[in-house]
Amino acid sequence: MKISSAESINAVIIGASGYAGSELTRLVAAHPALALAGIYVSESSNDAGKPLAQLYPRLRDVVNQPLQPLGEQQLAHIKQTAQVVFIATEHDVAAQLVSALHDGNKLIVDLSGAHRLAAASDYERYYGFEHPFEAALNQAVYGLAEWYTDELTQAQLIAVPGCYPTASLLALKPLVSLLANQPVIINAVSGVTGAGRKPKQNTLGAELSLQAYGVFSHRHQPEIERYSAMPVVFTPHLGNFKRGILASIYATVADDVSHQDVEQAFSVYQKQPCVRVGHQHTPAIQDVEHTGYCDIGWHLNGCQLIVFAAIDNLLKGAASQAVQCVNLRLGLPQTVGLPL
Ligand SMILES: NC(=O)C1=CN([C@@H]2O[C@H](COP(=O)(O)OP(=O)(O)OC[C@H]3O[C@@H](n4cnc5c(N)ncnc54)[C@H](OP(=O)(O)O)[C@@H]3O)[C@@H](O)[C@H]2O)C=CC1
Ligand SMILES: CC(=O)N[C@@H](CCC(=O)OP(=O)(O)O)C(=O)O
């Protein structure tokens, strides 16, 4: 798929009323090369027919379209007319949608985890559903934009990384050759929008605190291990704030690794517009909130390396990274339409 300057690409968003989908809708509506051709929720959704701006008043006069129920007829219409389909639904729904829509004529961008792991059996183990379309797992390109740039220019199906893996992998991947053979520890805290808009007991205001969850069992552990090619101990934490992730990563470097070596490793991001790195920096969520940046800070003391990475979970951790990937796929500068 190539575009000329006079042409805009028809893009639809399924799951547009969710936290990730609504951010994505805002970015696509303002994107100079994309035309927002439809926004969808489930067929029986309570929000079907409502303008998106009724749910999110900050989108008044920004997105005027109504949310459409996704029935058979709408699915057939998307199949015939859309050039880019963004999916921001639950993982199992996304897997079914990719299976229904995948035809080689459109770019599918899946923000869920349904195409990030290697084998159908991983989905039974870590996601608790039977994957309907195993062949898609081989075809999907992992959308960590700074690292899979060449692959993304050819992709038909993009698996946008999870929010915790985005922060963790951007911090870890440059370091792989410097680390000693010791487990890497990742402790990451997320704002509550990471859990989605559907109400749940543990996301009620009165229940929120700061608490670990998913100990030794979170589905992002295999995702981080797959794309860093190293064993990690990953522990997510839910915080009592709305958005953002701070990952604190503890690693041991090999005996002869110097400050210059670490500096050199992170210079891989020198020309990357969405990643900002600083020696002895301690990144804060407020500095990346509502932006598509990942801020990284590193500290070396002898062989002990501590790296911090901060992102907005809904942007670099989901919606803006999805747009960054589409920009690469369309041959555009990767920052077009990104909130930087
Ligand atoms: N929140 C985050 O920080 C991140 C989320 N993600 C992933 O993105 C996806 C969306 O997450 P999030 O926005 O938080 O979730 P939400 O629960 O906030 O939104 C889910 C959306 O999907 C819609 N939906 C549900 N079922 C269907 C269906 N059968 N057909 C069409 N639309 C449907 C919902 O609308 P309705 O129910 O009314 O139909 C809603 O619009 C998930 O896979 C999540 O794991 C990835 C990275 C970060
Ligand atoms: C706070 C919170 O609940 N976070 C979510 C992660 C959200 C995310 O990145 O995404 P994927 O589901 O797309 O992998 C969780 O731990 O399940």
Side-chain angles (χ1 to χ4, degrees), residues 171-172 175 247-251 266 296-299 305-309:
L172 263 183
L175 302 170
S248 304
I249 300 172
Y250 304 85
F266 277 120
I296 293 175
W298 62 273
H299 305 248
L305 179 64
I306 304 181
V307 187
F308 301 103

Side-chain angles (χ1 to χ4, degrees), residues 13-22 40-48 55-56 67-70 87-94 97 110-114 116 127 160-164 166 190-200 219-220 245 312-319:
I13 298 170
I14 304 177
S17 70
Y19 284 152
S22 59
Y40 295 88
V41 287
S42 59
E43 191 166 23
S44 56
S45 171
N46 288 336
D47 295 321
L55 277 59
Y56 297 95
L67 293 157
Q68 300 181 54
L70 185 67
I87 302 176
T89 66
E90 287 287 316
H91 319 285
D92 55 338
V93 173
L97 286 169
D110 179 13
L111 279 75
S112 87
R116 300 178 195 148
Y127 283 76
V160 181
C163 45
Y164 291 119
T166 296
S190 171
V192 71
T193 52
R197 186 164 182 263
K198 206 193 271 182
K200 300 169 196 105
R219 65 187 185 283
H220 287 171
I245 284 179
D312 185 315
N313 56 302
L314 297 177
L315 290 171
K316 184 59 176 162

Side-chain angles (χ1 to χ4, degrees), residues 6 112 133 180 204 237 242 247 260 279 296 311 319 333:
S112 87
F133 187 22
L204 292 173
H237 298 65
K242 286 187 186 172
Q260 285 85 339
H279 178 209
I296 293 175
I311 59 167

Side-chain angles (χ1 to χ4, degrees), residues 286-309:
Q286 67 172 359
D287 296 327
V288 293
E289 222 177 344
H290 300 284
T291 82
Y293 286 115
C294 174
D295 279 3
I296 293 175
W298 62 273
H299 305 248
L300 183 65
N301 184 14
C303 286
Q304 184 65 61
L305 179 64
I306 304 181
V307 187
F308 301 103

Side-chain angles (χ1 to χ4, degrees), residues 6-340:
E7 195 184 4
S8 59
I9 302 271
N10 272 345
V12 305
I13 298 170
I14 304 177
S17 70
Y19 284 152
S22 59
E23 289 286 351
L24 185 57
T25 304
R26 179 173 66 90
L27 298 183
V28 170
H31 195 287
L34 300 174
L36 185 62
I39 53 175
Y40 295 88
V41 287
S42 59
E43 191 166 23
S44 56
S45 171
N46 288 336
D47 295 321
K50 293 180 190 167
L52 183 62
Q54 188 177 323
L55 277 59
Y56 297 95
R58 68 191 149 81
L59 295 181
R60 279 171 61 191
D61 300 333
V62 176
V63 179
N64 293 319
Q65 300 191 19
L67 293 157
Q68 300 181 54
L70 185 67
E72 285 303 318
Q73 207 185 332
Q74 289 81 4
L75 203 58
H77 179 71
I78 291 172
K79 206 164 179 172
Q80 276 171 10
T81 59
Q83 291 163 289
V84 179
V85 180
F86 293 98
I87 302 176
T89 66
E90 287 287 316
H91 319 285
D92 55 338
V93 173
Q96 294 291 350
L97 286 169
V98 170
S99 169
L101 289 166
H102 193 68
D103 60 6
N105 291 324
K106 55 179 64 54
L107 171 61
I108 304 184
V109 186
D110 179 13
L111 279 75
S112 87
H115 300 90
R116 300 178 195 148
L117 299 182
S121 56
D122 294 328
Y123 283 88
E124 280 158 49
R125 177 166 173 200
Y126 292 106
Y127 283 76
F129 72 90
E130 201 174 318
H131 203 286
F133 187 22
E134 186 162 19
L137 300 178
N138 292 327
Q139 292 163 24
V141 173
Y142 193 59
L144 191 66
E146 286 74 14
W147 286 90
Y148 299 93
T149 310
D150 291 344
E151 295 87 337
L152 284 166
T153 62
Q154 306 294 323
Q156 288 297 327
L157 170 61
I158 297 173
V160 181
C163 45
Y164 291 119
T166 296
S168 305
L169 289 165
L170 287 173
L172 263 183
K173 278 179 81 69
L175 302 170
V176 173
S177 66
L178 305 182
L179 299 186
N181 194 14
Q182 306 253 351
V184 171
I185 312 289
I186 305 172
N187 289 328
V189 186
S190 171
V192 71
T193 52
R197 186 164 182 263
K198 206 193 271 182
K200 300 169 196 105
Q201 176 91 18
N202 70 330
T203 60
L204 292 173
E207 305 284 334
L208 285 175
S209 179
L210 173 58
Q211 190 172 22
Y213 65 100
V215 180
F216 288 129
S217 62
H218 197 277
R219 65 187 185 283
H220 287 171
Q221 169 127 359
E223 184 179 333
I224 297 168
E225 289 187 337
R226 178 177 188 199
Y227 295 101
S228 67
M230 62 174 91
V232 300
V233 178
F234 165 67
T235 312
H237 298 65
L238 181 64
N240 65 350
F241 54 96
K242 286 187 186 172
R243 57 198 286 164
I245 284 179
L246 179 67
S248 304
I249 300 172
Y250 304 85
T252 307
V253 295
D255 281 341
D256 54 348
V257 168
S258 65
H259 281 81
Q260 285 85 339
D261 294 327
V262 179
E263 190 93 54
Q264 173 65 26
F266 277 120
S267 70
V268 70
Y269 292 130
Q270 239 161 29
K271 294 204 170 118
Q272 286 295 344
C274 298
V275 181
R276 305 183 292 197
V277 183
H279 178 209
Q280 291 184 344
H281 180 50
T282 47
I285 284 174
Q286 67 172 359
D287 296 327
V288 293
E289 222 177 344
H290 300 284
T291 82
Y293 286 115
C294 174
D295 279 3
I296 293 175
W298 62 273
H299 305 248
L300 183 65
N301 184 14
C303 286
Q304 184 65 61
L305 179 64
I306 304 181
V307 187
F308 301 103
I311 59 167
D312 185 315
N313 56 302
L314 297 177
L315 290 171
K316 184 59 176 162
S320 72
Q321 181 143 254
V323 173
Q324 200 180 345
C325 290
V326 170
N327 287 338
L328 290 169
R329 176 65 181 82
L330 297 178
L332 298 169
Q334 56 175 309
T335 53
V336 174
L338 297 195
L340 296 176

